[in-house]
Amino acid sequence: ESSDGDNPCRVVIVKSGSLQTLARRLYHAQRLFAGTQSLPNIHTQPSTSTSAYNANEEASIIGTVGVEEYRRTIPYVVQTGDRCVEVGCHFGTSTTLIDRAAKMDTIDTDPHPGIRPTYTGGCLGVDIGPNIIKAAKVKFPHVSFEVGNGFKTGQLARMQRTYFANTNTNTTEARNDQSLNRIYDVVYVDIGGLSGSEGLLEAVALLTSIGNSLEPRVICIKSLCVRRLATNLIPFSEVWNRERLARQGNNTVELTRTPGNP
């Protein structure tokens, strides 16, 4: 009998291809920082280098809790030249940090005085509150902000065409990857109703919608329920592979032993 009372089951095994796929895409932020998990085809330690990415792969999802942990993922996720969006940007501090990490060293020169030049990478901050966006624009005038609803992914896609309009062949050469097939490279999500322990179904629905519509490389979400899911949802293939490798290691040790030399 379990001492937990409310949860007598130690393990629940579910036969589900969709859950298996989701489990393989989920990452716990603290495991990324510790190096026990690593994102596919991307630098796993803070770095300025870029690497090729298979645009056909589904987005990796990172669950974080708290502002500090949420922002700490930036050097692990954002590459120079990435087109990013933060959904639920509030007053824009996190958006500004993401924008700084994504900006290219060179920008497309705008010959028209008084008009802000368009960077080949950066971050757009989106929030549903007009007053919040107004304050963010005053506080960080060098960063782009727009009023919008993160659950309306078509709206986010149209914003990308406006704010990252100068993406061109030169950008392709600079990045040397397949990222131009995506609408956004990285999506950060900080929506209040998804930050607590409740709302898992709503969070997963939003993540699915963002992944299917915007096709980012990585989605980073500040949500306790998603980070808990990253802790508890384990694809059995990982367990099976660990046991298989352990057995192979034991067999190798047995083969290398000689009589009188245990």
Side-chain angles (χ1 to χ4, degrees):
E1 184 177 338
S2 171
S3 59
D4 292 342
D6 293 338
N7 185 17
C9 295
R10 187 179 74 254
V11 178
V12 176
I13 299 175
V14 181
K15 192 178 87 167
S16 168
S18 59
L19 279 180
Q20 166 88 349
T21 300
L22 177 60
R24 294 174 67 88
R25 297 167 56 205
L26 273 174
Y27 295 83
H28 190 296
Q30 290 297 329
R31 291 174 183 170
L32 281 181
F33 304 152
T36 56
Q37 279 189 316
S38 60
L39 296 172
N41 300 323
I42 188 172
H43 56 270
T44 56
Q45 297 296 327
S47 169
T48 57
S49 64
T50 60
S51 53
Y53 176 79
N54 181 358
N56 292 321
E57 293 181 7
E58 292 189 83
S60 300
I61 300 169
I62 303 173
T64 69
V65 173
V67 174
E68 181 181 357
E69 186 174 279
Y70 178 73
R71 293 174 181 168
R72 190 180 169 190
T73 63
I74 294 171
Y76 292 81
V77 171
V78 180
Q79 301 183 53
T80 304
D82 276 348
R83 293 155 302 178
C84 310
V85 62
E86 185 184 22
V87 178
C89 66
H90 306 286
F91 294 110
T93 302
S94 296
T95 301
T96 301
L97 296 173
I98 299 164
D99 183 77
R100 185 184 305 160
K103 284 282 172 66
M104 299 284 285
D105 292 334
T106 58
I107 62 175
D108 298 329
T109 303
D110 192 328
H112 303 288
I115 300 177
R116 183 192 307 166
T118 303
Y119 288 83
T120 53
C123 185
L124 169 66
V126 176
D127 201 282
I128 200 168
N131 291 334
I132 290 176
I133 291 299
K134 183 178 179 180
K137 288 180 176 180
V138 171
K139 189 175 183 180
F140 302 107
H142 59 289
V143 179
S144 299
F145 296 97
E146 187 64 70
V147 176
N149 187 335
F151 287 88
K152 296 182 178 180
T153 52
Q155 192 178 79
L156 297 177
R158 288 190 293 274
M159 290 177 184
Q160 189 270 0
R161 291 194 290 270
T162 299
Y163 287 92
F164 299 99
N166 281 17
T167 300
N168 53 28
T169 305
N170 293 331
T171 308
T172 310
E173 293 172 356
R175 292 177 54 78
N176 192 30
D177 65 11
Q178 303 178 47
S179 68
L180 297 184
N181 294 328
R182 296 189 294 268
I183 296 176
Y184 290 101
D185 299 293
V186 178
V187 178
Y188 273 78
V189 181
D190 184 6
I191 297 178
L194 307 180
S195 297
S197 58
E198 304 296 329
L200 178 60
L201 293 179
E202 190 174 14
V204 171
L206 176 61
L207 292 170
T208 301
S209 178
I210 288 173
N212 290 339
S213 302
L214 306 181
E215 299 181 336
R217 183 180 69 245
V218 181
I219 306 170
C220 182
I221 183 169
K222 183 157 76 73
S223 169
L224 176 59
C225 58
V226 173
R227 198 181 75 161
R228 282 179 176 171
L229 188 66
T231 300
N232 297 321
L233 188 63
I234 303 171
F236 183 74
S237 58
E238 284 188 8
V239 178
W240 184 83
N241 283 330
R242 282 198 300 267
E243 292 184 353
R244 181 174 58 83
L245 291 173
R247 286 195 299 270
Q248 289 177 350
N250 290 336
N251 291 339
T252 302
V253 171
E254 291 294 334
L255 291 172
T256 56
R257 285 178 177 169
T258 57
N261 185 26

